[in-house]
Amino acid sequence: MTLLPHKFGPYGGQFVPETLMPALIELEEAFVAARADVQFQKEFNKLMASFVGRPTPLTYAKRLSEKLGGAQIYLKREDLAHTGAHKINNALGQALLAKRMGKRRMVAETGAGQHGVASATAAALLGFECVVYMGEVDIARQEPNVFRMKLLGSEVRPVSSGTKTLKDAINEAIRDWVTNVRDTHYLLGSALGPHPYPTIVREFQSVIGTEAREQMMMEVGCLPDTVIACVGGGSNAIGVFSGFVNDEQVELIGVEAGGSGIETGKHAARFGDPSKGRVGVIHGTRTYVLQDEDGQIAETHSVSAGLDYAAVGPEHALMRDTERAFYTSATDTEALDAFQTLCHTEGIIPALESSHAVAEVIKRAPRMRKDQVILVNLSGRGDKDLNTVIKELGTEF
Amino acid sequence: MSRITEAFKNKPIFMPYFPLGYPDLDTSIDVIEALAKNGADLIEVGLSFSDPLADGPVIQHATQIALEKGIAVKKSIEAIGELRNRGVTIPLILMGYYNPMLAYGLEKFVRDAKEAGADGFIIPDLPMEESEEFIKVAGDLPLIPMLAPTSSPERMEMIARNAQGFIYLVSVTGITGERKSLAEGLGDLIAQVREHTSAPVCVGFGIGTPEQAKEVGEMADGVIVGTACVRTIGGSESPVETAREFAKSFAKVLR
């Protein structure tokens, strides 16, 4: 019935109130039309180049590679994209779609604040009124991003319901959207939610994978053996994976937030904890969800707000089932160690989210041969995390 | 004749919503019994969910408290059985989000609900596109379809044509909660829906006072009152007494 496939195997779908169904259908139609419209593509590509600063570079992490003594490590530098993370790719793409649909207002949710900042930026650039919902817990730990959103002219509405994190911010954004759906676009920031969002977000983030593959071939002369990315909802991962998904020899690794450790129950590893991570429905999509026996969505924990979410994008669920991608996790401590390692060896301050991917590199690279190559998607920069890191490292720092 | 069909013999009907487990399980059962025995024609019995994205703050708060007090799907279904034991004979429709039902197991959920005496289901996050799986399992217990002011004529036709039980018409573009005035164009909206179906059309979202209920009752076959019911009864020191008065005040204007 939908124009595009609305499921990824058994996952995905459109589990939303009837009030929103017409909006999802309208969005899908607009997206399909835009994708086929050369003018739209031109406008998007032009913004990616002149405003975002794409293509983002591929950086050889020489000292990190030497220190680990195994595989050669390359970083896809999404941290260098305008606003400091990959989120801007999707925010601008969807804002252009919203303009095309004649919407005047956008709402967005944000966890780490990166998608909120990207949305506020897109709204300022293209002339939208913008409201960003953010959990009170996240507001406290990502304060610099709250200021940035406000400076960019958006309203940040604190969310005090439920666990006061990303999950609840999504609930509030959806409630706002249900109420104002006629003139409002919901700028969903990750590859989750109801169809067509997971497909739209992947499409706008696929620029990461397309560039990275080309850069690998041109600058390194080979495909990577392994591609690693962190997975919250999973938009940066799906973006970089999409460039290599047809290269069967390339191993794809997603890294979830292991929090205080899987065994403690305080984590956001949907795939990593079978006792709580089961297939269910949340925020309009069927996927792996951390939940209790009664189907109530579980509280999650991660040092990084952007990975602190109970569900994973539905396409990742399928890639995991089909074993096209493999998923593992890194704990808070491992991520903080990786954060410092990258600072010291490469002069790059990574986002705590991206530090989870770096943590997996640190585990994996020494076991690989020197002629093997790892590509890691450095999804964002860590300036927003300084407060958290200083607090976590304490006197040691 | 099913209990639902029976209930619609005298229209318009009064359909309050109340969540099980709020302010605690025993009180909620007493409240629902009081509503049933004092003028409610059908009750939407709420199942709690941690992330009720179609609900406003009042129902969110109530269901959150129910969860904190330990309500679960199993206890909720058992409460339906208890209400039947207490001689409640009106239709009881279970209203809840999809995930707890999936976690319980759809087949088991429907079987246990039916055995306990439930008459149907309302699942706000299960639109037509996703409902096939549930409808297949539900058998002769209806999944009440929802329509909204944003539904296109094509969707209205498709959804209304296959309606079982009755149609839940969401009167406002938004989430649950009382509004100062009724939605504009509600009469036209109801008329539009009726073009496609002979099933009863009940209106919910935004109706908070007996006056508003009376006005809606002149156009629709049923009036659904959720937030006002939860707020008034939940905020009362004697919830059961308040429930009696609440049901009477609405039933009176609809007769």
Side-chain angles (χ1 to χ4, degrees):
Chain A
M1 207 137 65
T2 46
L3 297 171
L4 301 168
H6 74 302
K7 294 215 163 141
F8 303 93
Y11 306 112
Q14 298 178 299
F15 297 86
V16 297
E18 169 63 19
T19 309
L20 292 179
M21 279 306 302
L24 293 177
I25 293 166
E26 181 197 7
L27 178 60
E28 184 187 42
E29 285 168 359
F31 174 66
V32 169
R35 209 166 53 162
D37 180 352
V38 179
Q39 213 45 46
F40 180 90
Q41 293 301 333
K42 259 191 180 165
E43 201 178 349
F44 178 68
N45 292 337
K46 195 178 160 204
L47 280 181
M48 286 296 110
S50 67
F51 187 72
V52 178
R54 304 205 72 91
T56 57
L58 183 72
T59 301
Y60 172 46
K62 184 164 180 289
R63 293 191 63 224
L64 180 64
S65 304
E66 280 167 4
K67 181 183 158 81
L68 298 174
Q72 306 306 306
I73 299 153
Y74 289 83
L75 310 171
K76 176 61 175 164
R77 301 292 306 280
E78 291 301 296
D79 60 315
L80 292 178
H82 178 45
T83 71
H86 72 290
K87 293 290 186 188
I88 190 72
N89 305 327
N90 168 58
L92 279 172
Q94 283 197 41
L96 285 176
L97 267 184
K99 200 168 97 178
R100 205 182 157 94
M101 288 188 288
K103 308 285 181 182
R104 59 161 200 92
R105 181 174 177 269
M106 298 196 296
V107 291
E109 81 295 338
T110 199
Q114 288 305 115
H115 175 57
V117 168
S119 300
T121 302
L125 181 71
L126 297 170
F128 286 95
E129 181 188 327
C130 180
V131 173
V132 181
Y133 290 89
M134 189 168 186
E136 283 180 346
V137 169
D138 293 336
I139 285 181
R141 60 179 162 177
Q142 309 278 210
E143 205 180 25
N145 272 344
V146 177
F147 295 141
R148 291 167 80 199
M149 285 182 263
K150 288 183 178 171
L151 283 172
L152 291 160
S154 282
E155 181 189 343
V156 180
R157 289 196 190 153
V159 176
S160 59
S161 57
T163 58
K164 305 179 178 62
T165 58
L166 180 58
K167 161 177 95 69
D168 309 283
I170 296 179
N171 288 339
E172 282 311 317
I174 293 177
R175 288 181 186 122
D176 183 315
W177 191 35
V178 172
T179 307
N180 301 297
V181 61
R182 288 189 168 90
D183 69 352
T184 298
H185 173 66
Y186 176 25
L187 208 178
L188 183 52
S190 196
L192 38 92
H195 173 74
Y197 281 104
T199 301
I200 290 179
V201 175
R202 181 195 60 209
E203 183 93 356
F204 289 134
Q205 294 296 3
S206 67
V207 63
I208 306 172
T210 306
E211 282 178 10
R213 190 178 190 284
E214 206 177 291
Q215 288 165 324
M216 286 300 306
M217 296 308 286
M218 297 292 289
E219 298 169 24
V220 188
C222 65
L223 286 172
D225 294 278
T226 302
V227 177
I228 301 178
C230 63
V231 181
S235 71
N236 91 80
I238 211 73
V240 72
F241 287 179
S242 72
F244 301 93
V245 73
N246 295 325
D247 301 309
E248 278 171 33
Q249 71 276 29
V250 178
E251 183 183 37
L252 307 175
I253 307 287
V255 187
E256 299 185 287
S260 308
I262 306 291
E263 69 290 349
T264 66
K266 292 179 71 185
H267 60 76
R270 292 68 45 106
F271 294 137
D273 183 356
S275 73
K276 291 201 295 176
R278 295 190 307 276
V279 176
V281 167
I282 179 70
H283 294 145
T285 196
R286 187 194 294 262
T287 185
Y288 283 79
V289 189
L290 288 167
Q291 52 185 310
D292 69 12
E293 277 175 9
D294 197 45
Q296 308 299 335
I297 307 307
E299 265 194 58
T300 52
H301 165 78
S302 169
V303 71
S304 72
L307 303 183
D308 198 354
Y309 180 62
V312 64
E315 193 167 8
H316 286 293
L318 180 63
M319 289 176 91
R320 189 239 196 180
D321 279 9
T322 59
E323 298 192 344
R324 179 60 194 94
F326 296 92
Y327 295 83
T328 179
S329 63
T331 63
D332 289 352
T333 311
E334 289 166 339
L336 283 162
D337 287 348
F339 175 94
Q340 294 176 89
T341 302
L342 200 70
C343 288
H344 293 161
T345 58
E346 298 298 332
I348 295 169
I349 301 177
L352 282 174
E353 290 76 16
S354 322
S355 300
H356 286 71
V358 177
E360 179 61 20
V361 172
I362 292 172
K363 289 181 208 170
R364 198 172 279 260
R367 303 197 302 257
M368 291 170 72
R369 293 192 317 268
K370 284 194 173 162
D371 62 344
Q372 291 185 302
V373 174
I374 294 178
L375 171 70
V376 51
N377 194 35
L378 206 67
S379 56
R381 68 180 182 221
D383 308 44
K384 69 184 176 64
D385 293 315
L386 297 187
N387 288 346
T388 306
V389 171
I390 289 166
K391 202 177 119 212
E392 292 287 332
L393 297 183
T395 49
E396 181 192 337
F397 183 69
Chain B
M1 190 182 289
S2 79
R3 278 192 282 250
I4 295 177
T5 315
E6 184 79 30
F8 280 101
K9 273 183 165 175
N10 288 309
K11 292 184 285 197
I13 73 166
F14 171 50
M15 307 173 41
Y17 160 92
F18 202 83
L20 280 164
Y22 174 71
D24 56 70
L25 183 57
D26 290 343
T27 309
S28 66
I29 295 172
D30 293 344
V31 162
I32 292 166
E33 182 187 6
L35 289 168
K37 292 180 177 172
N38 288 278
D41 300 296
L42 182 156
I43 296 178
E44 286 177 23
V45 178
L47 302 176
S48 292
F49 181 47
S50 53
D51 295 81
L53 52 78
D55 285 305
V58 172
I59 293 178
Q60 278 178 50
H61 174 74
T63 52
Q64 190 61 42
I65 287 184
L67 287 172
E68 281 163 17
K69 295 255 176 90
I71 194 67
V73 174
K74 185 164 184 287
K75 285 186 193 168
S76 299
I77 291 175
E78 285 166 4
I80 298 283
E82 170 65 16
L83 285 160
R84 292 300 181 210
N85 289 339
R86 293 189 191 182
V88 170
T89 55
I90 62 167
L92 300 174
I93 308 280
L94 284 172
M95 178 165 191
Y97 292 83
Y98 202 32
N99 198 56
M101 300 176 190
L102 286 171
Y104 192 83
L106 286 187
E107 282 176 25
K108 186 166 181 289
F109 174 71
V110 168
R111 190 182 60 230
D112 291 356
K114 190 174 178 175
E115 264 177 35
D119 297 281
F121 308 95
I122 297 173
I123 310 175
D125 57 349
L126 202 63
M128 172 179 68
E129 278 76 359
E130 302 293 349
S131 60
E132 196 185 317
E133 168 188 47
F134 187 85
I135 288 172
K136 216 183 275 172
V137 174
D140 56 351
L141 287 192
L143 173 67
I144 307 300
M146 299 180 94
L147 280 171
T150 52
S151 306
S152 64
E154 298 77 43
R155 290 184 69 78
M156 274 195 188
E157 189 183 345
M158 259 189 293
I159 293 168
R161 200 174 48 205
N162 299 316
Q164 288 187 303
F166 59 92
I167 285 170
Y168 189 133
L169 178 61
V170 175
S171 74
V172 294
T173 308
I175 52 178
T176 59
E178 298 151 273
R179 309 289 198 276
K180 283 205 185 83
S181 56
L182 291 176
E184 259 176 60
L186 182 57
D188 292 343
L189 189 62
I190 295 170
Q192 254 182 312
V193 177
R194 288 202 196 280
E195 278 174 31
H196 306 295
T197 180
S198 56
V201 178
C202 301
V203 175
F205 284 40
I207 303 165
T209 65
E211 292 70 36
Q212 289 173 335
K214 187 171 190 314
E215 210 179 312
V216 173
E218 281 159 12
M219 303 180 277
D221 302 311
V223 181
I224 303 165
V225 182
T227 297
C229 183
V230 174
R231 186 180 51 75
T232 309
I233 296 169
S236 156
E237 299 213 332
S238 47
V240 179
E241 184 57 34
T242 307
R244 274 189 213 114
E245 296 309 314
F246 189 86
K248 281 179 190 163
S249 69
F250 278 84
K252 195 170 69 186
V253 298
L254 293 173
R255 289 290 167 264

